[in-house]
Amino acid sequence: MGVTRREALDTLLDRFALPDGDDPLDLPALFGTGVPVVLEIGFGAGTSTLAMAETDPGTGVLGADVHTPGVATLLLGLDQRGLSNVRVLVGDGRQLLAQRIAPASLAGVRVYFPDPWPKGRHHKRRLVDAGFAALVADRLAPGGLLHCATDWEPYAEQMIAVLAAEPGLVLAGEGSRERPDWRPVTRYEARGLERGHRVTDLLARRPAA
Ligand SMILES: C[S@@+](CC[C@H](N)C(=O)[O-])C[C@H]1O[C@@H](n2cnc3c(N)ncnc32)[C@H](O)[C@@H]1O
């Protein structure tokens, strides 16, 4: 990590970081009462986080990633664009969802190009599995949307299987697996596209009560 990004972690993280601790997050206190909140897990360099937060300043965005150089890049982008509707966790997004997000409290969960773990013995490390689908279904508010994208076709098949099997979610998007125009092309995705990978976008909704 270069000097600029190291300095960004030192000087900007406090401004954008989630409050420490294990307690459930007070989302209205963080973003404002009535503001819809989405969680993006594994934002990488924050391409989608920045673009979507800028396009939709009325939505609060929680971003989680374990990779500090990417976090630093996101922090620099947030500062340069003057965005105040994003809060960042340097850590495990699945754990955040399980421990600090109340049931039925999120408008959306975004998982764009999670690590594919192509080797069979590593499949258990994949983020989007049956347990994750059940957890997301519980944390989404009625009508809330889970949006996953991958350029690894076997992982896309796994995602479709677990989302279709989760009783708390309904696959949405009218069968389309194309990138919706409101999701920007991410940095990781751009590299896959250059290599000729096919991208699958999946939308799954928690039915409205
Ligand atoms: C393949 S990259 C994709 C990054 C970005 N979404 C994109 O499309 O450019 C996957 C990202 O997920 C992050 N990651 C992996 N497991 C995670 C977890 N449990 N919680 C948060 N981030 C995670 C990695 O650090 C990495 O930045």
Side-chain angles (χ1 to χ4, degrees):
M1 196 171 13
V3 175
T4 310
R5 287 198 286 176
R6 212 165 308 142
E7 279 178 5
L9 286 172
D10 289 343
T11 58
L12 296 174
L13 187 56
D14 280 354
R15 174 148 47 110
F16 294 103
L18 287 176
D20 287 337
D22 300 326
D23 296 339
L25 292 171
D26 183 346
L27 298 179
L30 280 175
F31 294 109
T33 303
V35 172
V37 177
V38 302
L39 167 64
E40 181 176 355
I41 300 179
F43 52 72
T47 337
S48 45
T49 326
L50 285 172
M52 293 169 91
E54 193 163 38
T55 305
D56 187 7
T59 291
V61 180
L62 298 168
D65 204 295
V66 293
H67 187 60
T68 43
V71 172
T73 303
L74 173 63
L75 293 172
L76 287 166
L78 292 173
D79 186 48
Q80 280 159 7
R81 298 181 197 208
L83 295 175
S84 58
N85 58 329
V86 179
R87 302 297 292 267
V88 178
L89 172 78
V90 188
D92 182 341
R94 183 177 180 143
Q95 201 177 347
L96 175 75
L97 193 57
Q99 292 182 349
R100 303 197 68 193
I101 302 291
S105 61
L106 293 178
V109 174
R110 298 168 177 164
V111 183
Y112 299 149
F113 305 91
D115 295 314
W117 296 111
K119 290 183 183 158
R121 69 177 186 276
H122 292 151
H123 284 180
K124 58 183 179 299
R125 299 185 190 177
R126 286 178 174 167
L127 177 66
V128 182
D129 61 11
F132 181 75
L135 177 62
V136 170
D138 183 72
R139 300 310 196 256
L140 284 176
L145 195 65
L146 168 64
H147 185 183
C148 300
T150 182
D151 68 343
W152 189 248
E153 292 191 33
Y155 200 0
E157 295 308 318
Q158 172 172 328
M159 289 176 177
I160 292 165
V162 299
L163 297 181
E166 170 47 49
L169 295 173
V170 176
L171 276 168
E174 296 167 351
S176 168
R177 296 186 181 156
E178 300 293 310
R179 177 176 63 86
D181 55 10
W182 38 267
R183 180 180 70 71
V185 174
T186 72
R187 183 182 286 189
Y188 184 88
E189 177 181 15
R191 286 203 292 258
L193 290 170
E194 275 170 20
R195 293 179 190 138
H197 293 187
R198 195 175 74 186
V199 171
T200 300
D201 275 68
L202 295 167
L203 300 168
R205 195 174 291 285
R206 176 172 169 177

